[in-house]
Amino acid sequence: MISVTELYALFMALSLSLMMILIFVTYMFMRKTMFVSIETVTGKAITVLKCPYCSYTIRRVFREGDHVGAVAQEKCPIHDANLIVSEIYTETPSSE
Ligand SMILES: [Zn+2]
């Protein structure tokens, strides 16, 4: 007969190992996305900046540290508010 404490310990061990797997999977996923972003630096990546108050949008060359939701140095000429990175994409290379 298994006691309550033993059952509890078993449950704790199970949930702990499950958590470890989850952390590992998340880590692997993060590594993959980080690798992709490094690749975009070497390519022709474009960052789309948007004003949080109006539809003012500008496009510029991707800079290191850019990620969706990041606050950029550029400002909206109407609101004098820092633009937010709304999109990052790679330009398909034209016939070069
Ligand atoms: Zn604005």
Side-chain angles (χ1 to χ4, degrees), residues 50-56 75-81 83:
K50 221 174 164 183
C51 173
Y53 305 110
C54 66
S55 57
Y56 178 76
K75 285 185 175 184
C76 172
I78 305 153
H79 298 97
D80 198 40
L83 302 175

Side-chain angles (χ1 to χ4, degrees), residues 27-92:
Y27 172 72
M28 288 304 276
F29 179 75
M30 288 286 279
R31 251 175 61 128
K32 213 171 160 183
T33 44
M34 266 161 78
F35 178 71
V36 168
S37 62
I38 286 161
E39 241 186 1
T40 52
V41 173
T42 52
K44 270 186 184 172
I46 302 296
T47 301
V48 180
L49 304 170
K50 221 174 164 183
C51 173
Y53 305 110
C54 66
S55 57
Y56 178 76
T57 307
I58 57 159
R59 283 166 170 79
R60 63 151 169 79
V61 178
F62 177 87
R63 255 184 245 153
E64 218 179 287
D66 279 356
H67 63 89
V68 174
V71 179
Q73 299 292 310
E74 289 83 350
K75 285 185 175 184
C76 172
I78 305 153
H79 298 97
D80 198 40
N82 284 78
L83 302 175
I84 306 291
V85 176
S86 71
E87 203 183 319
I88 295 163
Y89 64 91
T90 41
E91 271 192 333
T92 43

